[in-house]
Amino acid sequence: DVKVTQSSRYLVKRTGEKVFLECVQDMDHENMFWYRQDPGLGLRLIYFSYDVKMKEKGDIPEGYSVSREKKERFSLILESASTNQTSMYLCASSGAGVMNTEAFFGQGTRLTVV
Amino acid sequence: DQQVKQNSPSLSVQEGRISILNCDYTNSMFDYFLWYKKYPAEGPTFLISISSIKDKNEDGRFTVFLNKSAKHLSLHIVPSQPGDSAVYFCAASALKTSYDKVIFGPGTSLSVIP
């Protein structure tokens, strides 16, 4: 059974803190993504990676960075958390050649910045 | 401006009846469309997809219709079941051009009433 696992279901952080969201997939997928989900806005792409140590900006990369040192792990970093980064964060992965097709999502991390 | 629109934030349907979820897109380069289903506190799961070379794709109780000239697609669920109650996201991508993005709509929350 395919699996994308996000390290935390719920996080509460203070403004200005550096925040790490971790995602691990066990499907040997090349492509990994970070989205945030906000009411009325759907899922917006923050960053994605199509290979180890490779990263590309999505639609809303400001205030975020990512790291992909190993194929199975993709980390999202909030350099200095702000209240407008309070959101649901979703990690996903997909296989090579199917970047735009079916993606498998993790269960999500609900981050609250206070 | 949103490239993928789902103009109905919510929909209620009686069990056994048909559910029709609508989606409109603005980018004529989109050539692949997907529907994802999301339960609360879970990540989205892939439901069904359709390529622009088709106008219909069916999978059990789920059928997606594509009208390219109107830039419109719809998801039909027949018969609707209480377990179908979830948020449904429409998504689109341009396989022939950019490999990097799947654009999601804001979602429609479906409630199937027993």
Side-chain angles (χ1 to χ4, degrees):
Chain A
D1 199 19
V2 297
K3 205 158 186 182
V4 178
T5 303
Q6 295 181 229
S7 53
S8 304
R9 293 296 295 265
Y10 301 95
L11 274 179
V12 180
K13 296 291 182 181
R14 294 196 180 277
T15 301
E17 275 193 78
K18 192 168 186 175
V19 182
F20 293 85
L21 302 183
E22 306 286 347
C23 175
V24 177
Q25 51 98 359
D26 64 1
M27 295 163 283
D28 202 34
H29 280 165
E30 284 73 13
N31 310 314
M32 296 189 74
F33 311 83
W34 276 105
Y35 291 88
R36 63 179 280 179
Q37 181 194 356
D38 299 291
L41 297 176
L43 278 67
R44 293 181 292 164
L45 183 63
I46 304 170
Y47 267 96
F48 67 99
S49 167
Y50 53 87
D51 202 353
V52 176
K53 296 193 186 295
M54 305 299 288
K55 61 185 178 184
E56 295 284 344
K57 292 180 180 179
D59 296 315
I60 51 165
E62 297 79 18
Y64 304 94
S65 62
V66 290
S67 171
R68 192 160 181 209
E69 296 296 317
K70 293 184 178 181
K71 189 176 186 180
E72 67 270 18
R73 188 178 296 269
F74 193 35
S75 302
L76 179 70
I77 303 154
L78 285 65
E79 298 291 342
S80 176
S82 63
T83 54
N84 62 12
Q85 292 178 308
T86 291
S87 187
M88 169 69 83
Y89 289 87
L90 291 157
C91 175
S93 72
S94 68
V98 289
M99 174 77 78
N100 293 311
T101 58
E102 182 183 353
F104 296 89
F105 283 84
Q107 78 277 27
T109 296
R110 177 145 319 264
L111 172 68
T112 302
V113 182
V114 297
Chain B
D1 194 24
Q2 284 186 335
Q3 296 185 65
V4 178
K5 302 177 185 182
Q6 294 176 259
N7 292 323
S8 297
S10 62
L11 177 68
S12 287
V13 172
Q14 207 72 31
E15 181 178 3
R17 306 293 290 269
I18 184 171
S19 294
I20 300 176
L21 293 89
N22 293 306
C23 177
D24 297 289
Y25 61 96
T26 57
N27 190 339
S28 58
M29 298 302 292
F30 287 146
D31 54 10
Y32 196 81
F33 305 89
L34 310 95
W35 285 93
Y36 282 83
K37 174 179 177 180
K38 184 180 185 297
Y39 291 117
E42 293 184 15
T45 54
F46 171 75
L47 190 57
I48 193 169
S49 62
I50 188 167
S51 164
S52 60
I53 61 173
K54 293 185 170 184
D55 54 19
K56 177 182 173 181
N57 188 27
E58 196 171 350
D59 183 2
R61 296 186 297 114
F62 302 90
T63 303
V64 57
F65 295 92
L66 175 63
N67 182 334
K68 288 188 291 292
S69 61
K71 295 192 180 67
H72 176 83
L73 63 156
S74 60
L75 174 68
H76 292 211
I77 307 173
V78 184
S80 301
Q81 299 173 353
D84 296 328
S85 297
V87 177
Y88 289 79
F89 291 100
C90 173
S93 65
L95 287 178
K96 292 186 190 139
T97 56
S98 169
Y99 67 91
D100 58 359
K101 290 181 184 178
V102 176
I103 307 296
F104 284 83
T108 295
S109 178
L110 173 66
S111 297
V112 179
I113 304 160

